[in-house]
Amino acid sequence: MKNKYLWWFLLFTGLFISLFILSMMLGYKHFTFLDIWHHYINGETIKDQRVLTQLRLPRAILGGVVGVLMGISGVMIQTITRNPFASPSIMGVNSGSSLMVVIATVGFGLNGVFQLASMAFIGTIIIATLIILATTLPFKPFNAMELTLFGASISAFCMAITQGLLIYNESAIEELIYWLNGSVANKHIDILMYIWPFILGGLIIALYMAKPLNLYMLSDDALKGLGAKILTIKIFTMIAVVLLSGSAVALAGPIAFIGLITPHVAKMICKSHDHFIVIPLSGILGGCLLLLSDILSRYLLMPRELPVGITTALIGTPIFIYLILNRKELTE
Amino acid sequence: MKKLIILIVLLMLTTLLTLMLGDSFIAPQNVLSGLFKLDDPYINLVINTLRLPRVLLSIVTGAALGIAGCVLQFITKNPLASPDVIGISQGANVGSLVFLIVLTTSTEALLLPITYQPVFSMLGAVIVTALLYFLALRKSYKRDRLILIGISFNILCQAIVMFLILTSNKRSAQAQIWITGSVHQAEYHQVIIVGSILLIVMLILMYYARSFDVHYLGRNLSFALGNPYQYISIIALLSMSILIGISMSYVGGIQFVGLIAPHIAMKLGGHQFRNRMLYSAIIGAIIILLSDLIGRTLFLPKEIPAGIFTALIGSPFFMYLLIKSRK
């Protein structure tokens, strides 16, 4: 790896770590850096350490992990659909998993964290399969706008059923409203213990696919000429996307825009399209962005908190519009 | 002209049907007598107090949404454009919620009378439309850019709506129903307000119908024929956002009517603006009437908002159009 990239990685890893620590420090109850230092390094007892260990630390870990997963799945889905505006959330994956969670809660009375997480995972798999079908099978691939519209209508469909069920069972709304808007607060870190094999599997496949994905940026004809197995690349990439974004949704609920934006920012920063660089960099950037949004979401409605999914939408939309306005094929 | 009459007859039949069915069945002859004579207090209550305002509100909002969709599709020359996909309806919702949640005192009293709510709703729709106009329509119109920016506006406005609901702390269940879109709280004065605005906007659109047809030919030809392109675009977008704003403020987020109605209208041969607009209006009204009818009869004793059925029918229809439009 070139030196230039190494510096970028170090810089953003540094940023990631600082945001991680800030995420533990800031909030309704403030901790100083020294508090954290004393507590974790010297093992001293500090005031309110339960808040730190039981709320802030799990939250920071979840925020970091979920952001990384979203960033990476964003790059992969954008490359594999050859669509710079694809992301799991735009394409309806989030609303699919919300629907499954609501069906589980309202329809079958499930409410355990693991049960809901598994249902979210199943929802991701179903919608992702739909997207693979929509982008692979007989007819020619969707362009950026068509794919986005397709996702938007999947979303609308799932949301209509979700809302119907919620209205049918009003008591579920209050329970689920935070879940439905995506949040890393008050989540059970245990879920991470339960799904880490999926995450690890997804990450390994993602790195393994970096080289094929570099090839995949060529046209289909060129790929055939080189003897690449297009379908295999697609299937493995989508498996990684399902594992990564499914885990992210299971952990934090639907959070939009992270996976959409980070690949663009990563490519802009390192001025490279090499997936060996873009995949990890998007991951780190995704983690930074989610940690930052989560910190902000504690302050926007102080003393109450906002689901982080709302904050990412508020931050993400202007960036997304900026990206659209600067795409050559979309301007004249 | 013949098609228009058939559509009007269809609308009348649907109206009769929706007045008949519900919690209790009322025979057609009784519906008619109930409308004009008020001798039977029970029928009078069911028809005139419970069902009629709802049915009338469905008709006027359906017509408003249908026309709004028709205007947008005409102006963008995009059969896939719909005010709710590109965020204008959500913008109206943001306006309403700003009025309901931000403009309340700490004791929950509104700072302005509730009659101002539609004004804020229209303002929300106009602001989103204006942003879209400046970002994606004014200088060089690119279809994909408009849709992508519109979709992100939609997500942004949804986030703001949730933000506002969460700040308000209570009534989130009610807000949820309202966001989904329902006509169940219809009142006569709402019908009158939506109806009169609808009428005014329709007259304006009729007046400009020729110019719209020329506008459709494109910027250069419009100029050559002496048609003020930019001016017509603005008239169209303004009318559309006013219609969206006023209907959203009473029925919440009923989706996809603005997409489906103009499509069916075009299939029926409405290529000229005037015909297409009238067809869209009637078809929009029928769609909401039927969705509301299903919502309040199929799952008795629960009521399901009409907006859910328009989305359940609308989104597969939309996917079908999307796949078909690629040939």
Side-chain angles (χ1 to χ4, degrees):
Chain A
M1 193 186 292
K2 283 186 217 155
N3 244 347
K4 187 177 79 176
Y5 297 127
L6 194 64
W7 283 112
W8 282 121
F9 275 114
L10 285 179
L11 181 66
F12 284 103
T13 313
L15 184 64
F16 183 86
I17 294 169
S18 348
L19 283 168
F20 187 89
I21 295 170
L22 277 177
S23 173
M24 288 202 283
M25 285 162 55
L26 301 174
Y28 190 63
K29 165 100 192 75
H30 282 267
F31 293 97
T32 61
F33 182 70
L34 276 180
D35 286 338
I36 293 172
W37 180 270
H38 286 316
H39 180 69
Y40 284 106
I41 309 294
N42 300 344
E44 291 169 23
T45 319
I46 58 159
K47 210 176 144 215
D48 292 322
Q49 65 175 0
R50 288 170 65 90
V51 176
L52 192 63
T53 53
Q54 293 182 1
L55 296 175
R56 290 288 169 76
L57 182 67
R59 187 169 181 174
I61 293 175
L62 274 187
V65 170
V66 168
V68 170
L69 299 179
M70 286 174 166
I72 295 177
S73 56
V75 186
M76 300 189 77
I77 206 166
Q78 286 183 3
T79 308
I80 206 68
T81 55
R82 293 208 177 91
N83 180 346
F85 300 115
S87 88
S89 59
I90 282 264
M91 308 183 29
V93 166
N94 284 349
S95 53
S97 51
S98 303
L99 175 60
M100 289 305 286
V101 166
V102 174
I103 287 179
T105 313
V106 176
F108 302 103
L110 305 181
N111 51 18
V113 272
F114 296 119
Q115 291 165 325
L116 294 191
S118 338
M119 289 308 273
F121 218 104
I122 296 171
T124 315
I125 295 172
I126 295 173
I127 304 291
T129 317
L130 252 180
I131 295 164
I132 303 175
L133 292 178
T135 50
T136 333
L137 282 179
F139 47 97
K140 67 176 191 201
F142 281 125
N143 70 23
M145 183 205 59
E146 288 162 345
L147 193 69
T148 315
L149 282 174
F150 187 74
S153 56
I154 292 183
S155 275
F157 188 77
C158 293
M159 266 154 64
I161 305 180
T162 305
Q163 275 167 340
L165 288 171
L166 285 180
I167 287 162
Y168 208 80
N169 182 348
E170 281 179 26
S171 60
I173 296 178
E174 308 289 339
E175 256 173 66
L176 286 173
I177 201 158
Y178 272 79
W179 198 94
L180 290 174
N181 285 290
S183 172
V184 287
N186 306 321
K187 296 272 178 177
H188 292 256
I189 194 86
D190 326 9
I191 305 177
L192 198 56
M193 301 295 150
Y194 169 72
I195 60 172
W196 69 265
F198 296 104
I199 298 177
L200 193 66
L203 290 175
I204 291 171
I205 301 177
L207 284 177
Y208 189 72
M209 291 313 285
K211 198 175 164 196
L213 282 178
N214 281 344
L215 267 182
Y216 193 83
M217 288 189 291
L218 304 167
S219 70
D220 270 358
D221 290 337
L223 280 171
K224 274 178 200 145
L226 289 168
K229 294 193 179 67
I230 301 174
L231 193 65
T232 321
I233 300 180
K234 274 190 177 170
I235 289 174
F236 272 97
T237 308
M238 288 310 285
I239 288 175
V241 169
V242 165
L243 289 176
L244 297 175
S245 63
S247 311
V249 175
L251 286 170
I255 296 176
F257 279 114
I258 303 265
L260 188 66
I261 293 167
T262 43
H264 295 271
V265 181
K267 284 173 190 166
M268 220 150 61
I269 288 171
C270 66
K271 295 191 181 60
S272 160
H273 287 270
D274 183 355
H275 283 81
F276 282 109
I277 294 151
V278 179
I279 288 180
L281 195 59
S282 303
I284 300 174
L285 279 171
C288 294
L289 195 55
L290 192 49
L291 284 171
L292 182 69
S293 311
D294 185 42
I295 295 173
L296 278 179
S297 62
R298 299 170 200 176
Y299 285 93
L300 286 174
L301 270 188
M302 202 78 152
R304 296 172 58 227
E305 290 200 2
L306 209 57
V308 69
I310 293 179
T311 318
T312 58
L314 297 179
I315 302 174
T317 317
I319 304 178
F320 184 61
I321 289 173
Y322 171 82
L323 291 173
I324 292 170
L325 292 177
N326 283 288
R327 295 287 305 188
K328 266 188 233 94
E329 71 263 28
L330 295 176
T331 46
E332 271 158 340
Chain B
M1 206 59 205
K2 213 170 84 187
K3 282 175 190 161
L4 197 61
I5 293 169
I6 295 175
L7 278 174
I8 291 174
V9 173
L10 261 179
L11 175 64
M12 286 161 75
L13 287 176
T14 323
T15 312
L16 183 67
L17 190 71
T18 47
L19 283 172
M20 278 159 55
L21 300 175
D23 234 348
S24 60
F25 175 79
I26 292 183
Q29 66 273 20
N30 290 342
V31 169
L32 294 178
S33 66
L35 281 178
F36 301 112
K37 282 177 285 170
L38 309 170
D39 37 13
D40 183 338
Y42 175 69
I43 291 179
N44 183 26
L45 171 79
V46 173
I47 297 295
N48 289 322
T49 316
L50 296 177
R51 287 189 198 159
L52 193 60
R54 201 166 166 155
V55 163
L56 290 178
L57 190 65
S58 303
I59 293 175
V60 285
T61 51
L65 293 175
I67 293 177
C70 168
V71 169
L72 182 68
Q73 292 186 3
F74 220 84
I75 225 69
T76 58
K77 298 187 193 70
N78 182 357
L80 298 172
S82 159
D84 34 62
V85 172
I86 63 172
I88 294 163
S89 311
Q90 284 291 347
N93 283 345
V94 170
S96 290
L97 283 179
V98 164
F99 175 76
L100 290 176
I101 292 170
V102 180
L103 294 181
T104 44
T105 58
S106 49
T107 53
E108 302 231 349
L110 288 169
L111 288 177
L112 290 168
I114 189 77
T115 40
Y116 282 90
Q117 191 203 342
V119 179
F120 279 79
S121 176
M122 286 191 269
L123 208 61
V126 170
I127 290 171
V128 173
T129 312
L131 284 173
L132 280 173
Y133 176 74
F134 286 114
L135 287 175
L137 276 167
R138 192 171 64 120
K139 283 206 182 104
S140 60
Y141 166 54
K142 272 275 196 176
R143 195 175 81 150
D144 292 10
R145 185 162 43 139
L146 175 76
I147 299 285
L148 288 170
I149 293 182
I151 286 179
S152 57
F153 271 136
N154 199 14
I155 298 177
L156 178 67
C157 290
Q158 275 170 18
I160 299 176
V161 164
M162 283 321 296
F163 179 90
L164 290 171
I165 288 178
L166 289 171
T167 36
S168 81
N169 212 351
K170 57 213 150 289
R171 296 197 291 263
S172 48
Q174 254 179 321
Q176 196 81 24
I177 293 179
W178 180 75
I179 290 171
T180 315
S182 166
V183 288
H184 80 290
Q185 281 178 323
E187 283 170 40
Y188 280 116
H189 77 268
Q190 299 175 342
V191 176
I192 293 167
I193 295 172
V194 182
S196 44
I197 290 183
L198 176 67
L199 199 69
I200 296 169
V201 175
M202 268 177 95
L203 287 176
I204 295 173
L205 290 174
M206 289 292 250
Y207 177 78
Y208 283 108
R210 271 289 158 74
S211 310
F212 277 112
D213 287 327
V214 178
H215 186 279
Y216 195 77
L217 300 172
R219 193 185 292 256
N220 294 342
L221 225 64
S222 280
F223 276 125
L225 293 167
N227 202 31
Y229 189 86
Q230 226 56 282
Y231 173 70
I232 293 296
S233 307
I234 290 173
I235 294 272
L237 292 171
L238 209 57
S239 323
M240 174 202 61
S241 38
I242 284 174
L243 289 178
I244 292 290
I246 189 73
S247 32
M248 287 294 136
S249 87
Y250 292 128
V251 303
I254 290 188
Q255 283 190 310
F256 285 106
V257 177
L259 177 91
I260 306 172
H263 248 282
I264 303 176
M266 196 162 67
K267 281 269 148 29
L268 289 176
H271 291 287
Q272 273 188 332
F273 180 76
R274 193 181 63 100
N275 284 350
R276 197 170 167 197
M277 178 182 85
L278 294 175
Y279 294 174
S280 306
I282 299 173
I283 294 163
I286 294 177
I287 292 174
I288 295 194
L289 278 176
L290 290 179
S291 304
D292 185 43
L293 180 67
I294 297 172
R296 65 187 163 83
T297 51
L298 216 56
F299 297 93
L300 278 172
K302 286 261 184 184
E303 272 198 19
I304 303 292
I308 289 175
F309 294 97
T310 60
L312 284 185
I313 304 161
S315 45
F317 183 72
F318 184 72
M319 289 184 212
Y320 161 77
L321 288 178
L322 193 62
I323 291 170
K324 212 179 121 231
S325 73
R326 298 148 29 86
K327 294 187 194 84

